[in-house]
Amino acid sequence: MLAACLALCGLAACDPQEDRDNLPTPLQASALDFSVTQQQGYDNVIYLENRTKGVIPYWDYGTGISNKERDTINIPFAGSFYIRFVAYTSGGPVKDSVQIQVSENDANYFSSPMWNLLTNGDAGKTWVWAMDTPGGAPYGNGSGTATAPEWWKPTPADVVSWDVADDEMTFDLNGAANYTKVTPTGTTKGLFVLDTLNRTLKILGSDISYGASITYVVVTLNENELTLAQQGDGWRNLWMFKRKGFNY
């Protein structure tokens, strides 16, 4: 029996102290060698570079991530941001971060008029149900190209019965693409993704009033009107909103 135990110890490490001695030495944060620099005169553009040997880099800059040794990123919002760097080593992850200041929103990124029409920039823009829309129905469905309900047309009284008629939705670009929904029962906050090329809108962490938690098609967007749609196969569900304070 003793011989068997000795044989097993010969095949496996039987000394816990020896096991600890064989573990890789953890890298200290002070040994990390990386840089975060901003483009002169256009500080929305940031250059990331890892020079720490023998590690796998990971960058988290709030609006995205990267695992490249060198990368160029864009933070389109004005404000203070942390660029977080993680070096994955054989001894475990080692973390550090750099705080940067972006002086203004990126005019190139927000060049589409859709951004300002939806948000009014940093100041924000509040939308409410278009209860007095000339078509008489602020919600409903219709054909695949409809810009207002055609087939099913709930009345404004129906919308009131859903307890959403007094909801307010604000979009702004104050440090992020922010979304705030205020209802009689409380406030929810989230973020939004506006694709100006494909004219779609996605809300993260919340939703439009009486929404379907989907990526919406932006059917109408002007100074006073916002119509969103759930696009089906030859049909649309439509939600119609107006700028708060605007009357038809």
Side-chain angles (χ1 to χ4, degrees):
M1 178 66 71
L2 177 60
C5 289
L6 291 174
L8 286 173
C9 282
L11 295 173
C14 295
D15 185 352
Q17 179 62 47
E18 182 182 347
D19 285 349
R20 289 195 295 271
D21 292 344
N22 289 334
L23 289 173
T25 303
L27 188 69
Q28 299 300 310
S30 59
L32 294 178
D33 185 10
F34 69 98
S35 63
V36 176
T37 56
Q38 293 172 265
Q39 182 173 315
Q40 189 71 27
Y42 187 12
D43 59 13
N44 303 94
V45 175
I46 300 106
Y47 305 108
L48 312 176
E49 182 178 2
N50 169 52
R51 296 182 295 270
T52 313
K53 302 297 184 183
V55 305
I56 299 174
Y58 176 86
W59 309 87
D60 182 351
Y61 46 95
T63 57
I65 60 173
S66 173
N67 60 2
K68 296 180 180 179
E69 298 285 352
R70 296 179 181 83
D71 206 352
T72 301
I73 64 172
N74 182 290
I75 295 182
F77 303 101
S80 181
F81 301 90
Y82 279 95
I83 309 295
R84 292 177 170 82
F85 176 69
V86 183
Y88 286 96
T89 74
S90 56
V94 185
K95 303 177 182 180
D96 202 352
S97 63
V98 173
Q99 187 177 24
I100 64 168
Q101 189 72 32
V102 177
S103 58
E104 59 185 3
N105 284 358
D106 187 344
N108 293 329
Y109 186 89
F110 296 112
S111 60
S112 169
M114 290 183 67
W115 288 103
N116 193 59
L117 289 171
L118 179 66
T119 69
N120 192 31
D122 290 359
K125 193 170 189 178
T126 300
W127 300 89
V128 297
W129 280 90
M131 302 294 284
D132 58 345
T133 178
Y139 177 62
N141 58 31
S143 61
T145 58
T147 58
E150 298 173 331
W151 305 337
W152 175 50
K153 299 181 181 182
T155 66
D158 293 322
V159 176
V160 170
S161 71
W162 301 336
D163 295 325
V164 296
D166 295 325
D167 291 2
E168 297 183 357
M169 306 182 300
T170 301
F171 297 84
D172 73 69
L173 299 177
N174 186 12
N178 300 303
Y179 174 81
T180 303
K181 181 167 69 175
V182 178
T183 74
T185 58
T187 299
T188 59
K189 292 181 177 292
L191 300 171
F192 70 91
V193 179
L194 177 65
D195 184 337
T196 59
L197 181 62
N198 295 302
R199 293 183 63 85
T200 61
L201 177 69
K202 175 68 175 178
I203 296 171
L204 309 173
S206 187
D207 199 7
I208 65 171
S209 293
Y210 209 67
S213 299
I214 57 168
T215 298
Y216 299 95
V217 176
V218 180
V219 176
T220 302
L221 176 57
N222 56 42
E223 185 65 30
N224 298 312
E225 299 170 302
L226 170 64
T227 300
L228 302 176
Q230 177 182 9
Q231 191 73 52
D233 184 10
W235 56 269
R236 277 179 169 177
N237 285 336
L238 297 147
W239 292 260
M240 303 185 69
F241 305 102
K242 66 176 185 177
R243 175 180 57 80
K244 183 179 180 181
F246 171 74
N247 295 309
Y248 285 97

